[in-house]
Amino acid sequence: NDTYFADVKRVPPGHVARIDRDGCRTHRYWESVALHGAFGWLDDDEVPERFESLFEQAIVRRLPVGPAGIYVSGGLDSAAVATRAADVCRREGRVPPLGLSLVFPAPYDESAMVRGLACALRMPTVLLPFEEAAGASGVLAGALELSRMLPSPMFNIWEPAYVRLSRVA
């Protein structure tokens, strides 16, 4: 129920808050699993097709009218998103997404994997060294400065570097 603010409470998942002259009331509007009766689970052979459809639907919803940017790393999750987004853009005759990646020092440098993905997808890419993205005063100073403008504490201490990467792109 707690939030970052003393007098602000969290609305529980699957609930809606209604505020009127009588006060604030919450009630559940959604259940993740049916409480009464059997749940209609998918058969195992339906899962891949259903996943593919929903995955593409989620990506299409996030592609803007103009060029898109995707943060990519050496991981499978960002590679899967970039691959599907590039496929959708190619199929629809749109500009391919722009890959955005911070380059961390060794041994965490994934830039070779990012370049390989970008080459395979024919996707333009912006790689920015982390030190450059963090700025001359460093990531902590940048995070403190950015935090002054945010409505809640920063989720990721590297956020100023990602903001800079986006601006460069």
Side-chain angles (χ1 to χ4, degrees):
N1 213 16
D2 293 334
T3 66
Y4 298 113
F5 306 100
D7 295 325
V8 177
K9 299 299 177 201
R10 204 175 295 278
V11 177
H15 286 70
V16 65
R18 295 194 190 270
I19 302 171
D20 58 27
R21 65 177 159 247
D22 297 326
C24 179
R25 293 176 308 282
T26 62
H27 73 274
R28 182 175 289 279
Y29 71 90
W30 182 76
E31 290 286 343
S32 60
V33 177
L35 294 177
H36 308 291
F39 186 75
W41 295 102
L42 294 175
D43 292 330
D44 287 348
D45 58 339
E46 294 178 80
V47 172
E49 180 181 327
R50 188 74 184 273
F51 174 80
E52 291 294 326
S53 171
L54 292 173
F55 186 52
E56 182 163 318
Q57 181 183 5
I59 290 171
V60 167
R61 276 198 319 247
R62 301 309 305 160
L63 287 173
V65 175
I70 299 173
Y71 291 119
V72 290
S73 67
L76 293 175
D77 51 351
S78 65
V81 170
T83 300
R84 185 55 55 97
D87 289 347
V88 167
C89 289
R90 195 172 300 109
R91 185 174 65 234
E92 295 180 0
R94 297 168 66 171
V95 175
L98 178 64
L100 309 172
S101 186
L102 292 174
V103 179
F104 291 91
Y108 308 106
D109 182 359
E110 299 176 327
S111 61
M113 289 178 271
V114 171
R115 285 186 183 97
L117 175 69
C119 181
L121 298 178
R122 299 185 309 275
M123 179 176 73
T125 307
V126 174
L127 290 106
L128 189 65
F130 181 77
E131 296 81 13
E132 184 180 333
S137 56
V139 71
L140 182 57
L144 291 172
E145 180 64 29
L146 184 58
S147 289
R148 291 178 19 181
M149 299 177 285
L150 298 175
S152 62
M154 190 174 297
F155 176 72
N156 183 342
I157 189 76
W158 300 339
E159 190 169 343
Y162 283 106
V163 169
R164 174 78 195 277
L165 175 60
S166 296
R167 287 185 181 140
V168 168

